[in-house]
Amino acid sequence: MRTPVRTPRNASRADDEVAAPKSTQRLPIWVNQRLGLLVLTVALATLFGILRPAFLDQRLVLFPLLRDISTLTVVALAQMVALSVGHMNLAVGRMASFGALCAGFGYDRLGLPLQLGLLLCLFAGAVIGALTGWIIARTGVGSFVVTLAMDFALLGLVSLLYSALTENAAFTTRPSGLMDLRSTSLADICIGRVCGSPAVPQLAQFTVLALAGLGFLYTCTRMGRELLLTGANPAAAELSGIPTGRRILLAHTLSGLLAALAGFMAAVGTGTFRASIGNDFMLPSFLGAVLGGTLLTGGIVSVLGALLGTSLVGVIRKGLDLLGVGMESLNIYLGCVLLLALSADRVRTVVSYRKVVRSA
Amino acid sequence: MSEVLLECREIVKVFPGVRALDGVGLRLTAGSVHALLGENGAGKSTLIKVLTGVHPPDAGHLTWRGEQVHLRTPLEATRTGIGVVHQERNLIPGFSVAENITLQNPPSRHGLVDRQAMNAPALRCLEELGLDLDPHRLVRELSVAQQQLVEIAKALHTQSEVLLLDEPTASLSPQEAENLFQVVRRLTARNTCVVFVSHKLEEVFAISDTVTVLRDGRSVLESAPLADHTHDDIVNLMVGRAHTAAKMLPRTPEPTSVPVLALDGICTARGHQDVSLAVRPGEIVGLYGLVGAGRSELVKAVLGLDRVTGGEIRVDGTPARIASPRQALHEFGIGYLTENRKEEGVFLEQPIHRNITVTVWKKLARALGVVSSAEERSVAQNLVERLGIRASGLDQNAGELSGGNQQKVSLAKWLAADTRLLIVDEPTVGVDVRTKHVFHELLWELARTGLPILLISSDLTEVITLADRVLVMADHRIRGEVGNDHHYERMSGRIIRLIHDRAPSAVSAQQDAK
């Protein structure tokens, strides 16, 4: 570190010229999280498959596994959108349960068809997300506090509404098509004689849509870029003419909408609309997003990473479960994975900082 | 009589892109007041940070009473006997005066802090300074001046023999400043060395014994007796850098054309009173003032980030209400290059092309708000070439560039937006001399092509090199205007006089009021 410091100015300039092209090299490959995640997930799946051949059973293991992954990926995306503007959504699970409540209400009381109920659910999620975003943008109170408060408020509201509106604290009316959505897989959709895999649930279509939509938003559009820059540096974004308040509102609206979608998917997966939906969403939402390479401080997201991160967690959970690891110890492993994921975040920051210092 | 306490020789400190200190020497003797002078960016703050162990020097020696020392942390500096009172307050607002004074070495009993035993040493320190303060009071209830004195008391408690005061009078009233000087005299009487950093030369001459002048990271006058030098000598030493004759093509702004931006009697919630100025096409108007004069705050209020309480803003002759920087950019074509590059200017962890095109996405966007990546890159590539930004590629993160190149990226964003007026705030702070020249030429050329520029700067050379007219601001008011003849000595004299004339006139105004 000392040598470049003592070289005279001209010499260090020359060094810079030489060093400059070098820094085009991105971070070393082991820091590239997405590739690592893919390799790790495939390797673990193979390992579990060898140890317990039952792991590769398409209908009994992979189908429910992929259904869980589909749902949790949407949850991770909901968190990712909030993280993209440098915020958090601690109410992601409760927004999901609120969305599911609205869908269930629509089916049970209003007799809505499947699609309209889903729309009602998404609308409710978007509204509650927009309200959260509006409070944050308007008051300047941190997203942590506001979403935490929102979480508590919704926790009370949702259970209150369920006990007021239903007898067993759950909506059990199922519109036509809901059970199909729950259990059909690609195997049921055939083009001529070629059928899809029975392991891929039809619910995954929502996840694919969400992934495609967000991928488009963040890579191709002005909105997406502005969301990221708002997250990267709110003060600079404001001075550069980005309507930061509106972008924050947009991020939270999207986050609420995706959370509600996840709530709907979870309800479809279990077949009933009850208050407990979304109870266990918060930790996986961060886990999936951060493992995937989304920066907790905002400005960098990875849509595909959210899918890969969630998949890894899903595979580990299912595999250990099949190996007979108890629920409690399973959580210990998951805690460790989260810690590793957060450390990876830090490692990347440190590595890129060192690069800055070296190049200077 | 005087024993040398702290001496440093050939101190070098390098930051990414800048050689902040380049062979600085300093000798501090007991029982004297030593003035440390220099323009903004000359290296005063860096030197203070080196002396207090915040930044380890990259080369050079520090000796304490003749023995070489290495100060690696602020705590080591404190233990050695070097205390510092920074420009901004460093007290814990929720703690009492006594707790703050004894913070670094609180009296304890059985491992627990003994609150009763705090008061005696705290009172002793306060008494030594001649202060009548209740040690139980919470610091947040005190005035800024009182807090500053508490910090000095804190330094006494750690038995500082060298006390560094960084711009201690910046936020004090004349009366409070006088109190402070009495404290300084008491301190020197008990053989402490006080290092006094200030922009106000009158104060320096009133209380200092010796002086060191820094310029561009070098000491141009080293620990010399102040009595040997006149006011003008010192000013010349501070600012008189070798003037490379700028070979820039002449500009001819038309003094009669309609101003692109005109402020008329603007008052703001931040305390600006009756500020009027006008910037015409092709003109560079300098807004000179010391740090804290309220220049950036004025611009932020004009851009809608703060409340304008009176007066009128006119853009192209028509009254305008600007509610946000967004509206300023998209509706009125006003760009603001902030002084605070790292916090408000660039997105450090975003690629260069995004940093540059952020202001034009709205223009580039097609149906569904799709921004073509290719178009974006071509806009960015053009500007990178035009401004000579040295980067490995458009995908490099802005934070990986040197300070000067970051500043160019920050400027490129406004050139991309093709603004009709550019407000440039301290464009060359923390930028080395070479890049500074490049920047000056760039701004000059921009103005020559008709772009009006409002140049905010506390760098006299910069203002005199570039501006057509110089407005001098102090205490949130415009103190006067000087037409620039680009003659350095004449201009600097006039400008500095405008600033320093203020003190007596303010005092007389107060007396009139009584």
Side-chain angles (χ1 to χ4, degrees):
Chain A
M1 291 305 282
R2 290 221 150 214
T3 355
V5 158
R6 288 191 182 165
T7 45
R9 187 168 293 177
N10 291 337
S12 71
R13 290 280 162 210
D15 280 354
D16 266 13
E17 308 270 8
V18 180
K22 241 192 257 169
S23 53
T24 10
Q25 283 177 3
R26 287 284 119 202
L27 302 176
I29 199 134
W30 57 268
V31 193
N32 184 336
Q33 296 197 341
R34 266 156 291 168
L35 194 65
L37 279 177
L38 189 64
V39 171
L40 198 57
T41 312
V42 171
L44 276 175
T46 320
L47 181 72
F48 289 135
I50 292 168
L51 290 177
R52 285 277 186 285
F55 184 80
L56 298 178
D57 184 311
Q58 299 207 6
R59 277 182 204 283
L60 290 179
V61 178
L62 290 185
F63 180 81
L65 171 62
L66 286 181
R67 201 171 56 192
D68 282 356
I69 289 177
S70 302
T71 309
L72 288 179
T73 300
V74 177
V75 176
L77 290 174
Q79 191 63 257
M80 185 197 81
V81 176
L83 289 176
S84 75
V85 289
H87 287 193
M88 291 181 182
N89 186 358
L90 298 184
V92 67
R94 230 59 72 181
M95 286 181 182
S97 101
F98 183 72
L101 167 80
C102 290
F105 178 76
Y107 298 137
D108 195 66
R109 293 299 166 96
L110 309 176
L112 296 178
L114 187 66
Q115 288 82 356
L116 281 184
L118 173 60
L119 279 183
L120 180 66
C121 158
L122 295 181
F123 179 73
V127 167
I128 209 81
L131 176 67
T132 314
W134 183 79
I135 295 173
I136 294 169
R138 204 53 208 259
T139 62
V141 178
S143 62
F144 185 93
V145 178
V146 173
T147 56
L148 189 66
M150 192 55 86
D151 188 60
F152 277 109
L154 285 177
L155 176 66
L157 182 71
V158 167
S159 24
L160 211 66
L161 284 177
Y162 268 114
S163 44
L165 294 169
T166 65
E167 284 169 15
N168 313 325
F171 291 113
T172 46
T173 314
R174 292 169 186 167
S176 65
L178 190 134
M179 289 319 286
D180 287 345
L181 195 57
R182 179 183 175 193
S183 51
T184 40
S185 65
L186 279 188
D188 302 308
I189 302 165
C190 296
I191 301 164
R193 307 190 63 185
V194 185
C195 293
S197 155
V200 182
Q202 211 201 329
L203 265 184
Q205 64 180 338
F206 296 115
T207 312
V208 172
L209 269 177
L211 286 170
L214 288 181
F216 174 74
L217 178 75
Y218 281 112
T219 52
C220 301
T221 69
R222 171 189 160 211
M223 293 279 184
R225 287 169 161 83
E226 293 189 347
L227 284 174
L228 292 177
L229 289 204
T230 303
N233 186 343
E238 181 71 34
L239 280 178
S240 303
I242 294 176
T244 48
R246 270 188 255 159
R247 293 299 166 265
I248 287 168
L249 184 69
L250 173 72
H252 282 276
T253 309
L254 275 179
S255 183
L257 183 132
L258 288 165
L261 176 63
F264 176 81
M265 291 168 71
V268 169
T270 56
T272 46
F273 294 85
R274 59 173 73 246
S276 63
I277 284 170
N279 270 354
D280 50 355
F281 275 6
M282 198 176 65
L283 185 69
S285 75
F286 282 102
L287 198 52
V290 172
L291 267 176
T294 296
L295 220 53
L296 275 177
T297 44
I300 294 174
V301 297
S302 170
V303 175
L304 213 55
L307 171 67
L308 291 172
T310 310
S311 305
L312 178 65
V313 177
V315 166
I316 293 176
R317 205 185 258 274
K318 197 73 169 183
L320 292 180
D321 193 24
L322 279 184
L323 288 178
V325 176
M327 199 61 199
E328 287 78 14
S329 15
L330 202 140
N331 280 334
I332 298 178
Y333 289 112
L334 278 176
C336 294
V337 170
L338 178 60
L339 201 61
L340 279 177
L342 293 173
S343 317
D345 205 39
R346 176 74 191 140
V347 166
R348 282 191 307 162
T349 321
V350 170
V351 169
S352 61
Y353 176 76
R354 293 229 177 102
K355 244 172 69 181
V356 176
V357 171
R358 232 175 282 140
S359 67
Chain B
M1 61 146 210
S2 51
E3 178 196 8
V4 175
L5 289 173
L6 182 68
E7 186 168 10
C8 56
R9 263 167 299 164
E10 293 294 310
I11 297 286
V12 175
K13 178 72 204 170
V14 182
F15 289 121
V18 206
R19 229 172 154 77
L21 294 179
D22 196 1
V24 170
L26 185 70
R27 194 170 58 248
L28 303 177
T29 47
S32 70
V33 179
H34 188 100
L36 182 59
L37 303 175
E39 291 186 289
N40 294 326
K44 290 167 301 185
S45 303
T46 314
L47 181 59
I48 287 180
K49 285 183 178 157
V50 166
L51 293 182
T52 52
V54 177
H55 296 317
D58 293 313
H61 306 282
L62 276 174
T63 52
W64 178 259
R65 294 184 191 276
E67 280 171 44
Q68 185 149 351
V69 285
H70 293 281
L71 306 171
R72 279 175 296 259
T73 63
L75 193 61
E76 280 184 17
T78 311
R79 294 217 169 113
T80 310
I82 302 170
V84 61
V85 178
H86 288 287
Q87 207 171 341
E88 58 288 342
R89 301 281 66 82
N90 285 310
L91 294 170
I92 302 175
F95 277 24
S96 72
V97 170
E99 281 171 311
N100 268 293
I101 290 176
T102 57
L103 190 66
Q104 291 188 316
N105 189 15
S108 59
R109 203 172 46 189
H110 313 306
L112 298 174
V113 171
D114 185 351
R115 283 169 179 264
Q116 292 313 310
M118 265 178 196
N119 292 333
L123 274 174
R124 204 183 57 239
C125 293
L126 291 171
E127 218 165 278
E128 243 176 288
L129 297 175
L131 284 178
D132 183 24
L133 266 180
D134 178 2
H136 295 291
R137 272 180 78 182
L138 293 186
V139 159
R140 68 161 160 261
E141 295 167 3
L142 304 179
S143 74
V144 177
Q146 286 172 319
Q147 290 185 14
Q148 193 168 43
L149 294 170
V150 170
E151 281 202 62
I152 295 176
K154 187 175 159 187
L156 283 189
H157 184 252
T158 56
Q159 270 135 26
S160 301
E161 287 168 272
V162 168
L163 181 63
L164 307 163
L165 303 178
D166 190 0
E167 302 246 11
T169 58
S171 46
L172 300 190
S173 71
Q175 187 54 48
E176 289 168 331
E178 193 41 55
N179 280 342
L180 179 75
F181 298 151
Q182 280 176 14
V183 167
V184 168
R185 286 183 198 111
R186 272 167 181 263
L187 287 173
T188 48
R190 60 191 281 280
N191 241 7
T192 307
C193 173
V194 177
V195 178
F196 188 67
V197 180
S198 177
H199 275 296
K200 300 177 184 167
L201 283 181
E202 294 81 356
E203 296 175 357
V204 169
F205 274 86
I207 71 165
S208 305
D209 306 312
T210 50
V211 60
T212 292
V213 179
L214 297 185
R215 191 204 305 151
D216 290 336
R218 292 162 203 271
S219 35
V220 287
L221 183 67
E222 206 173 301
S223 312
L226 189 60
D228 297 354
H229 296 270
T230 65
H231 211 289
D232 285 346
D233 281 350
I234 297 292
V235 170
N236 284 342
L237 278 168
M238 275 165 65
V239 295
R241 50 181 67 131
H243 247 333
T244 45
K247 41 189 180 312
M248 301 195 233
L249 297 165
R251 290 182 296 119
T252 47
E254 297 165 39
T256 51
S257 53
V258 179
V260 176
L261 176 73
L263 307 184
D264 194 0
I266 291 290
C267 306
T268 72
R270 283 295 192 88
H272 294 89
Q273 292 291 321
D274 194 27
V275 173
S276 301
L277 60 85
V279 192
R280 296 186 172 79
E283 190 181 35
I284 300 181
V285 176
L287 184 56
Y288 179 83
L290 301 179
V291 172
R295 297 158 304 159
S296 309
E297 290 81 358
L298 172 71
V299 172
K300 288 194 173 164
V302 168
L303 290 178
L305 289 172
D306 216 328
R307 222 149 39 83
V308 174
T309 51
E312 192 176 60
I313 301 169
R314 282 192 302 272
V315 178
D316 283 335
T318 40
R321 279 237 152 267
I322 304 176
S324 66
R326 179 166 77 255
Q327 199 191 9
L329 168 65
H330 294 303
E331 242 172 80
F332 301 107
I334 300 174
Y336 171 54
L337 181 66
T338 167
E339 66 175 321
N340 210 339
R341 185 173 62 228
K342 287 210 156 69
E343 273 112 64
E344 299 176 342
V346 292
F347 302 90
L348 294 173
E349 289 178 28
Q350 296 286 329
I352 293 170
H353 62 89
R354 285 209 171 151
N355 265 290
I356 295 179
T357 53
V358 53
T359 51
V360 285
W361 286 335
K362 200 172 175 174
K363 280 185 209 162
L364 295 180
R366 280 182 252 137
L368 284 173
V370 174
V371 174
S372 146
S373 186
E375 257 178 80
E376 192 185 48
R377 297 181 81 88
S378 86
V379 169
Q381 187 62 42
N382 268 340
L383 280 159
V384 165
E385 278 162 22
R386 184 168 151 204
L387 300 186
I389 297 172
R390 271 188 353 162
S392 60
L394 291 178
D395 292 317
Q396 196 178 8
N397 281 354
E400 293 167 17
L401 303 177
S402 71
N405 279 306
Q406 280 181 17
Q407 187 70 338
K408 284 183 184 173
V409 168
S410 196
L411 174 66
K413 147 168 100 184
W414 300 113
L415 298 186
D418 204 13
T419 55
R420 292 187 301 141
L421 169 79
L422 201 54
I423 302 173
V424 183
D425 197 349
E426 303 281 7
T428 56
V429 161
V431 162
D432 60 49
V433 181
R434 224 170 49 124
T435 319
K436 206 175 213 173
H437 281 306
V438 174
F439 239 90
H440 289 169
E441 278 162 29
L442 205 63
L443 292 175
W444 184 272
E445 274 307 305
L446 285 172
R448 230 171 60 80
T449 56
L451 182 72
I453 294 174
L454 179 61
L455 169 72
I456 300 177
S457 182
S458 33
D459 181 343
L460 258 183
T461 345
E462 182 165 279
V463 170
I464 294 168
T465 312
L466 291 177
D468 299 304
R469 295 180 288 132
V470 182
L471 296 163
V472 179
M473 185 174 241
D475 270 349
H476 297 70
R477 283 165 186 269
I478 301 274
R479 295 288 159 181
E481 180 181 327
V482 186
N484 193 356
D485 57 7
H486 300 284
H487 186 281
Y488 188 75
E489 279 73 32
R490 234 183 354 249
M491 283 301 294
S492 58
R494 282 185 204 159
I495 291 171
I496 289 193
R497 220 163 291 134
L498 268 178
I499 287 192
H500 290 290
D501 277 353
R502 142 185 87 110
S505 69
V507 171
S508 67
Q510 275 174 2
Q511 283 166 348
D512 289 350
K514 282 171 196 169

